[in-house]
Amino acid sequence: MNDLLYFIPVSHHDEASIKQLLADHPQIKFVSLTAVDLGNNSTDEKIPVKIFLEDIENFLHHGVQTDGSSVYLPKIAQINNAKVDLIPDRNVKWMVDYNLANRDNATGRPVGTLIIPAFLYHNGKAVCSRSVLKRSTEYFTSTLKAWLAENDYAREFLGFASDETVEEVYMTMATEVEFWVKTPDYRTDTEKLSASQVLKEQYWKRTVGPVRTAMEQALINLDNYGYHAEMGHKEVGGVPSKLSGMSQFTHIMEQLEIDWKYDEALQSADHELFAREIISETFARQGLKVTFRAKPIEGVAGNGEHHHVGVAVKLSSGRKLNLFSPKNMKDSYLNPLGWGALMGILKNYEVINPFVTSSNDAFNRLKPGFEAPVCIVSCLGHTVEVPARNRTVLIGLIRDMDNPFATRFELRSPNPTSNSYLTTAAVYQAMLDGISFVLEHKSTEAELENELSKKYGEEAAYLEKFREYRSEEDVFEHYTSEERNQLFGVPPRTVWENLKGFESYKEKVSILTRGDVFPEKIIESYQATILSQWITELTNRVIPINEDLIRHYVKLHGLDDITDLDVVNWEKIRSLRNELMKNSLDKQSLFAKIKQAIHKEDFDLASELQVEMMVKMATLKSIYTEYRHNLISFEE
C-alpha cells in the first residue's frame, strides 16, 4: 500500500503532470467531482479515467453538467431551470479514494477514484458551500491587506516597519471530529453508558481489540493523505466491550476523537469532508459501525467538532505574524485585532448559529449538562499568564505563552454534521466586522478587554448594552437558566427558532452579505433547504421514532407484587402516551397537532409544539424507567 498515490498536490494540477501521474498509477480507474450544496450534501460520480483524459483541458476548465437532481439548491436551481455545472477546483489538494474490496486485475492494487473538489455553478454564478468559503477568504484577505496598508494605528501595534506590507494572509482552520463506534447488533444501554460517563471510566483510556486496530489504521490512513494526524483517543462516552469464547470482542460501544493538523480554511474543510469517509470505511473493515450524528444516544455525551480559527500574515520582509497575538504575551490576552475578531463573533453569533446548528439532532446535543455550549459567552483565562480552557462556553481563546503563532479561537458549538464551509465563512465575516470597529475607533487593548468583560447594563461602544460576553465560571453551575438567558441571550430551542435569526437580526445579516460573500439568494436558498429538512425530519423521522418508543412502553405489572407506586406511575405513563399519540373524535394528539401546524405552514406553532413534545417525551422516558426498575418481575 505504500506505493499507492494518495493525493495530488496543487503544484501538479497541470495537464502534463496529471497525465503522467495517472499513467504511472493505472489502478486509478475513475474521476469524481465532489461539490457540496447548501444542505451540506456532497456529490460523487464515477467518470472513467479514459473519458477524463480524452478532453482533459475542457474538463479542467468547464467540468461536467448535471440537471440539478444530484444537488439541492431551492430558489436557485428550480426544476424548470436546473442546469448546474460542476467545475474542478485546481487550488486545493486532490485525493484518491481506494476501494480495498475491488482489486485491479493488472496491478493487483485496489481500484482508485481521483476525488477532485469542485464548485457548483448556476447561470454562471458559484452557488455552493465551497464557493461561499472561497469568497469569504478572498474578501477577508483583500480587505485586510487594504486596511493594514494605510492604518498607522494597526501598523504600530503590530510592529510593522515603514516599508513593510502584507504579502500573504493565512486564514487557518482545524477541526476535532468526535464519533461513536459500535458493533452493528449491539443494543444501547443508556443507563450503563450514563453511569460510565459520570465515572469517566472510558475517558482517554486504552483502546483494545478491533477499536484499537481501526483507530491506528485510521491515523495511518489520514497521514497517507497528508493530514498530519495529531492524536486519536477515547472520549467520555462508552462502556467496556466483552470478550467472547472465540476471542472476539462484542458489545462494543465507545466514543472516540481523532485530530489532525490545521490547514488553510478551504483545504481544511475539504479534509474534514473526506476524513469522515476514511474513518467510516476503516472502522467498517473491522466490523464496526461509525456514526457522526450530533446526539446519537439520548442521555449521554454527543459528538462535537470544535472549530479552531486563526489568521496569520507574511510581510514583504519575510517576517510572519499571528494577527491576534500581542507583542508581549504576558501583557495582554490579545492585541486589538484579536479583541475585535472575538467581539465580532460574539456580537453576530445569532446569524452564524443557523449554519452551525441546523438539525433536530444537533439541538438534541446542545443541552445543559453535557459540556455542550448553549450560551453566547467566551472565556479568556483567569489570568494573562495562565491560559485556561473552559468547556462550558461558546468560544474560548487558545494560547501558548511560548508560541505566539498558536493564538486562535476555539468555537465549541459545531458538530460533525455542521456545514464547515458556511460556518467558517460566517465566522470570518463576523471577525472582519469586529476588526473594522477596532481600526476605526483605535481602542487600546485595555479598553477592549474592559468592553468584552463588561457587566449587564453597562454601556459599550460595539457590544450590546444588555448582555455579558465573558465568563470564567462553569456557566451551567454558576448561573441559573434564568440568569443565563438574561446575561447571554435566550438560545434557540429548535431549527425554526434558529432560522428566524436571519429575520430578527437584519442588521447582522448585512455583515454576511458584505463583499457578496453570502448573496441574498444564497441565504434564501439555505433557509429553504434547512426548513425543508426540518419539517421532513420532524414529520417522517422524529415523530415515527417517538411513536415506536411509546408502543414499547407497555404495561409490565400483574396483580402480584405491585405497590401503589407502580399503579400511580403506570397511570402517568398511560396518560402521557395518550396525550402524545392518541387521537379521538374531539381531541387531537400532540403529534397530530404538530403535523397539522406544519401542513398549515404555521412554523411558529409547530416549533412550540415540538418543544412541548420533547419535554413530554423526556418525562415519559423518566417515569417508565422508574416504573420498570420498581418491578420485581414482569408479566409476559
Side-chain angles (χ1 to χ4, degrees):
M1 295 288 286
N2 290 333
D3 59 349
L4 294 178
L5 176 68
Y6 285 95
F7 64 90
I8 301 179
V10 175
S11 59
H12 288 64
H13 288 179
D14 60 283
E15 294 176 26
S17 296
I18 295 168
K19 287 179 178 179
Q20 186 61 55
L21 285 169
L22 292 176
D24 293 341
H25 297 273
Q27 78 275 8
I28 301 175
K29 301 293 186 182
F30 304 101
V31 173
S32 175
L33 290 176
T34 300
V36 183
D37 67 16
L38 299 177
N40 210 23
N41 305 300
S42 57
T43 60
D44 180 47
E45 67 285 338
K46 299 293 183 185
I47 301 171
V49 163
K50 178 182 177 183
I51 301 298
F52 168 67
L53 292 175
E54 282 179 356
D55 193 4
I56 186 171
E57 180 180 2
N58 182 64
F59 188 98
L60 293 176
H61 287 90
H62 303 291
V64 298
Q65 287 187 22
T66 170
D67 64 2
S69 59
S70 58
V71 295
Y72 190 49
L73 296 167
K75 300 192 175 184
I76 294 178
Q78 306 283 36
I79 195 168
N80 62 338
N81 184 21
K83 176 180 170 291
V84 174
D85 298 317
L86 282 78
I87 308 297
D89 184 352
R90 299 174 70 174
N91 295 309
V92 293
K93 181 193 302 181
W94 298 353
M95 289 171 275
V96 183
D97 179 22
Y98 286 103
N99 182 0
L100 300 186
N102 184 20
R103 297 275 171 171
D104 174 37
N105 292 331
T107 65
R109 298 172 179 173
V111 169
T113 298
L114 178 60
I115 304 295
I116 303 179
F119 298 110
L120 296 174
Y121 275 78
H122 181 261
N123 289 342
K125 295 181 179 180
V127 292
C128 59
S129 294
R130 295 188 76 259
S131 67
V132 172
L133 181 53
K134 181 177 175 62
R135 285 195 296 269
S136 175
T137 56
E138 291 174 344
Y139 178 63
F140 190 105
T141 297
S142 61
T143 303
L144 186 69
K145 282 184 175 180
W147 286 348
L148 297 184
E150 58 187 31
N151 193 294
D152 293 335
Y153 155 75
R155 295 174 64 85
E156 182 178 350
F157 69 69
L158 288 171
F160 279 29
S162 59
D163 60 341
E164 284 184 314
T165 58
V166 176
E167 196 170 84
E168 292 185 55
V169 178
Y170 303 102
M171 302 176 66
T172 60
M173 194 260 284
T175 58
E176 308 168 354
V177 65
E178 296 175 357
F179 55 96
W180 279 87
V181 58
K182 65 188 285 286
T183 40
D185 58 348
Y186 179 66
R187 284 192 171 186
T188 303
D189 189 325
T190 304
E191 292 175 62
K192 288 183 180 179
L193 286 168
S194 182
S196 178
Q197 176 177 304
V198 173
L199 295 171
K200 294 193 181 295
E201 293 177 333
Q202 296 291 300
Y203 201 24
W204 282 49
K205 296 298 190 294
R206 185 174 181 268
T207 53
V208 297
V211 176
R212 175 178 177 174
T213 301
M215 171 77 86
E216 292 171 350
Q217 289 178 345
L219 292 168
I220 292 170
N221 287 341
L222 289 171
D223 261 354
N224 288 336
Y225 286 100
Y227 279 55
H228 304 291
E230 294 185 329
M231 186 184 297
H233 62 83
K234 281 194 179 186
E235 258 295 333
V236 68
V239 290
S241 57
K242 297 180 180 180
L243 188 62
S244 72
M246 300 296 292
S247 297
Q248 295 291 317
F249 283 88
T250 63
H251 296 78
I252 293 171
M253 175 63 77
E254 299 180 24
Q255 188 183 30
L256 307 173
E257 177 180 318
I258 289 181
D259 310 328
W260 54 89
K261 189 176 171 63
Y262 68 88
D263 213 313
E264 292 190 71
L266 188 56
Q267 182 64 77
S268 187
D270 285 345
H271 271 168
E272 178 215 315
L273 185 71
F274 195 45
R276 292 200 295 268
E277 302 297 334
I278 295 173
I279 293 168
S280 294
E281 293 186 1
T282 302
F283 276 81
R285 287 194 290 273
Q286 295 299 321
L288 299 170
K289 182 179 180 181
V290 165
T291 178
F292 295 101
R293 284 180 53 201
K295 193 73 168 180
I297 307 167
E298 190 66 32
V300 294
N303 292 323
E305 187 184 82
H306 306 160
H307 282 42
H308 293 246
V309 291
V311 182
V313 294
K314 178 183 177 183
L315 304 181
S316 53
S317 62
R319 289 198 304 138
K320 291 184 179 180
L321 299 172
N322 183 299
L323 203 65
F324 302 149
S325 291
K327 286 183 180 178
N328 188 333
M329 295 290 286
K330 295 182 180 179
D331 288 345
S332 177
Y333 291 101
L334 294 160
N335 70 27
L337 294 187
W339 289 112
L342 179 56
M343 291 195 300
I345 296 170
L346 291 166
K347 180 178 179 179
N348 298 293
Y349 190 71
E350 289 89 351
V351 295
I352 299 173
N353 198 11
F355 302 114
V356 176
T357 310
S358 58
S359 68
N360 294 300
D361 180 47
F363 273 99
N364 288 336
R365 170 179 170 260
L366 297 183
K367 292 179 180 178
F370 295 98
E371 298 180 1
V374 297
C375 305
I376 303 177
V377 60
S378 66
C379 162
L380 302 174
H382 296 287
T383 66
V384 173
E385 294 83 5
V386 183
R389 301 287 287 270
N390 184 340
R391 299 199 302 272
T392 68
V393 298
L394 173 75
I395 186 168
L397 170 63
I398 310 298
R399 307 171 73 227
D400 182 339
M401 299 301 291
D402 299 321
N403 180 15
F405 284 98
T407 303
R408 62 192 186 274
F409 303 120
E410 178 189 36
L411 185 65
R412 297 181 57 81
S413 51
N415 67 81
T417 63
S418 297
N419 189 319
S420 289
Y421 299 98
L422 301 182
T423 295
T424 308
V427 165
Y428 280 128
Q429 290 291 96
M431 286 168 60
L432 205 57
D433 182 65
I435 291 172
S436 174
F437 161 80
V438 167
L439 294 181
E440 181 181 348
H441 288 76
K442 299 179 173 58
S443 305
T444 66
E445 291 173 356
E447 289 171 339
L448 292 166
E449 180 177 353
N450 287 337
E451 174 145 352
L452 187 75
S453 308
K454 67 178 285 295
K455 296 301 180 182
Y456 180 87
E458 290 182 359
E459 295 287 350
Y462 178 70
L463 298 174
E464 296 175 22
K465 179 178 180 179
F466 296 107
R467 292 284 285 274
E468 290 187 17
Y469 294 92
R470 176 184 179 184
S471 177
E472 304 302 330
E473 307 290 344
D474 179 335
V475 298
F476 301 125
E477 295 292 332
H478 189 74
Y479 308 99
T480 65
S481 60
E482 291 78 13
E483 288 172 333
R484 290 196 299 268
N485 289 343
Q486 181 186 46
L487 298 178
F488 311 125
V490 179
R493 301 167 298 173
T494 68
V495 173
W496 173 249
E497 286 186 359
N498 207 10
L499 283 177
K500 287 180 69 176
F502 289 133
E503 302 301 322
S504 303
Y505 299 95
K506 291 286 191 181
E507 73 285 359
K508 297 181 181 183
V509 172
S510 66
I511 291 160
L512 299 178
T513 60
R514 288 174 184 168
D516 204 33
V517 170
F518 283 89
E520 290 184 7
K521 204 68 177 175
I522 291 286
I523 295 177
E524 290 177 4
S525 182
Y526 178 78
Q527 287 178 282
T529 297
I530 302 306
L531 175 60
S532 175
Q533 290 178 356
W534 172 60
I535 61 178
T536 301
E537 186 181 35
L538 185 55
T539 304
N540 298 324
R541 285 187 180 169
V542 175
I543 289 178
I545 288 172
N546 286 341
E547 289 173 342
D548 287 341
L549 281 173
I550 289 172
R551 291 188 182 103
H552 281 89
Y553 291 161
V554 297
K555 182 179 177 181
L556 297 173
H557 66 271
L559 296 177
D560 298 329
D561 297 322
I562 64 167
T563 68
D564 52 357
L565 179 61
D566 300 324
V567 175
V568 169
N569 276 339
W570 175 248
E571 284 304 312
K572 290 179 182 177
I573 293 165
R574 191 176 64 82
S575 176
L576 279 169
R577 291 176 69 199
N578 290 339
E579 187 176 349
L580 283 159
M581 185 174 167
K582 196 72 172 175
N583 296 306
S584 65
L585 290 176
D586 60 350
K587 189 175 181 180
Q588 281 189 317
S589 69
L590 188 52
F591 294 164
K593 290 177 182 177
I594 293 173
K595 293 177 182 178
Q596 185 179 62
I598 290 174
H599 179 71
K600 293 182 176 179
E601 298 189 357
D602 188 346
F603 301 126
D604 285 326
L605 176 59
S607 177
E608 288 294 333
L609 292 172
Q610 181 185 5
V611 173
E612 184 181 347
M613 175 187 69
M614 291 188 293
V615 171
K616 283 184 165 58
M617 284 299 300
T619 302
L620 177 60
K621 292 173 187 177
S622 176
I623 296 173
Y624 193 78
T625 299
E626 180 185 341
Y627 164 71
R628 190 175 183 276
H629 278 312
N630 199 51
L631 297 176
I632 295 173
S633 61
F634 299 156
E635 186 179 69
E636 295 295 334

